Amino acid sequence: MGLFDNQVGGDHYKHFAIQPALLIHRNGLGYLEGNIVKRAHRHHVHPCQAKRIEDLHKIMDECKKLLYLEHGHTCGPECSETKPPEPGNGSPLEA
């Protein structure tokens, strides 16, 4: 039995050809990107519909945070402004 054959708290990742943890690690994805991949993998196989919907909302939230952190993009999809925030202008990374 391999390390990734065991899953604590369910079996919703065991059905995939490659488990999200391996995909995330092998591709060098960051925290938010990894969460997006993990939730996208499991949202359609989770037994609880409320949890599936919650995963999609979490993906949207994590995408917004990733857009901000990587590109300084803080407005809606209709906005084309993508200039990263200047130091001293309220960037959460300055805390």
Side-chain angles (χ1 to χ4, degrees), residues 5-91:
D5 292 334
N6 183 39
Q7 180 182 330
V8 176
D11 65 354
H12 44 279
Y13 296 128
K14 294 174 95 174
H15 304 288
F16 300 117
I18 182 169
Q19 289 203 14
L22 291 173
L23 185 143
I24 292 162
H25 178 74
R26 289 181 182 167
N27 288 289
L29 300 180
Y31 177 77
L32 289 170
E33 296 160 319
N35 279 339
I36 292 165
V37 167
K38 172 184 73 172
R39 294 182 207 291
H41 269 78
R42 76 173 184 205
H43 88 274
H44 67 282
V45 296
H46 201 288
C48 174
Q49 181 181 10
K51 290 288 187 183
R52 292 191 303 265
I53 292 170
E54 181 181 62
D55 272 345
L56 292 174
H57 284 285
K58 287 180 178 182
I59 289 169
M60 291 172 19
D61 182 60
E62 290 158 346
C63 284
K64 288 177 187 177
K65 289 174 181 170
L66 188 60
L67 276 168
Y68 177 75
L69 292 172
E70 296 289 325
H71 305 286
H73 190 87
T74 59
C75 50
E78 68 283 350
C79 180
S80 62
E81 181 183 340
T82 58
K83 183 180 177 191
E86 297 293 326
N89 289 342
S91 170

